[in-house]
Amino acid sequence: MITHAKRDRARELRVNATPFEQIFWQTVRRHRFAGFKFRRQQVIGPFIVDFVCLSAKLVVELDGSQHAEAVAYDTERDAWLNSEGYRVLRVWNNEWTQQQEAVLERLWEMLNATAPSPQPLPPDRGGAKTITTPLSLQGRGAGGEGAPANAAKE
């Protein structure tokens, strides 16, 4: 059960998001990133996680310098989340700022490592499954790129 205090703290964290969290949220919100749904500042058990994709059971933590001093706490927290079936992707704020493409590629790989295939092969057709990647790792792959809707078709 989520306490009122935890719920209120999560709301406060959403309102006071860091600039790093704001940019990440704009990238993944509303199924923008390869069709996966993310939530931000979500209560999971005794913790509030920065971002979570519940369908893939993947938590994303954007860590600032204060986490360098909280290694034991983060280790305990990650162990608890792992015991509940979650995987945790920790990204330093400077890593996010300087290497967004690499971070998003790693995120995409982790999401697709456990994602169910949207269209399984029929039982009578064996063979390898085709894995498609999003058009963009910037989160605009679902209809946001390519030719405009009014472009002439060949």
Side-chain angles (χ1 to χ4, degrees):
M1 177 174 185
I2 299 172
T3 66
H4 290 293
K6 278 275 191 231
R7 185 195 64 213
D8 292 346
R9 177 67 179 140
R11 285 181 181 161
E12 180 183 320
L13 290 169
R14 283 192 291 273
V15 169
N16 298 312
T18 68
F20 308 102
E21 292 170 339
Q22 291 171 5
I23 294 168
F24 186 84
W25 180 239
Q26 289 304 313
T27 304
V28 301
R29 69 189 289 244
R30 298 169 123 190
H31 301 272
R32 287 181 181 164
F33 192 76
F36 287 94
K37 178 179 173 68
F38 281 85
R39 294 181 182 197
R40 63 185 173 135
Q41 302 304 338
Q42 180 70 38
V43 177
I44 299 178
F47 304 105
I48 300 172
V49 300
D50 288 346
F51 302 94
V52 63
C53 176
L54 294 172
S55 64
K57 293 199 88 164
L58 178 63
V59 170
V60 179
E61 289 291 322
L62 291 180
D63 293 341
S65 60
Q66 74 277 12
H67 286 270
E69 300 169 6
V71 174
Y73 174 80
D74 286 345
T75 301
E76 178 183 321
R77 184 174 191 263
D78 290 356
W80 186 89
L81 288 165
N82 291 155
S83 75
E84 295 296 312
Y86 290 91
R87 292 169 299 138
V88 180
L89 172 60
R90 287 195 170 276
V91 179
W92 289 99
N93 289 340
N94 66 336
E95 180 183 11
W96 171 241
T97 302
Q98 297 170 9
Q99 300 175 22
Q100 285 185 15
E101 287 291 325
V103 170
L104 293 173
E105 185 173 327
R106 190 168 30 156
L107 174 63
W108 187 86
E109 288 170 356
M110 290 181 78
L111 287 166
N112 284 284
T114 59
S117 173
Q119 297 175 342
L121 291 174
D124 60 324
R125 288 192 169 184
K129 293 182 184 176
T130 302
I131 299 174
T132 59
T133 59
L135 290 176
S136 169
L137 293 176
Q138 291 292 330
R140 295 181 293 260
E145 284 187 358
N150 59 358
K153 295 183 180 177
E154 296 179 24

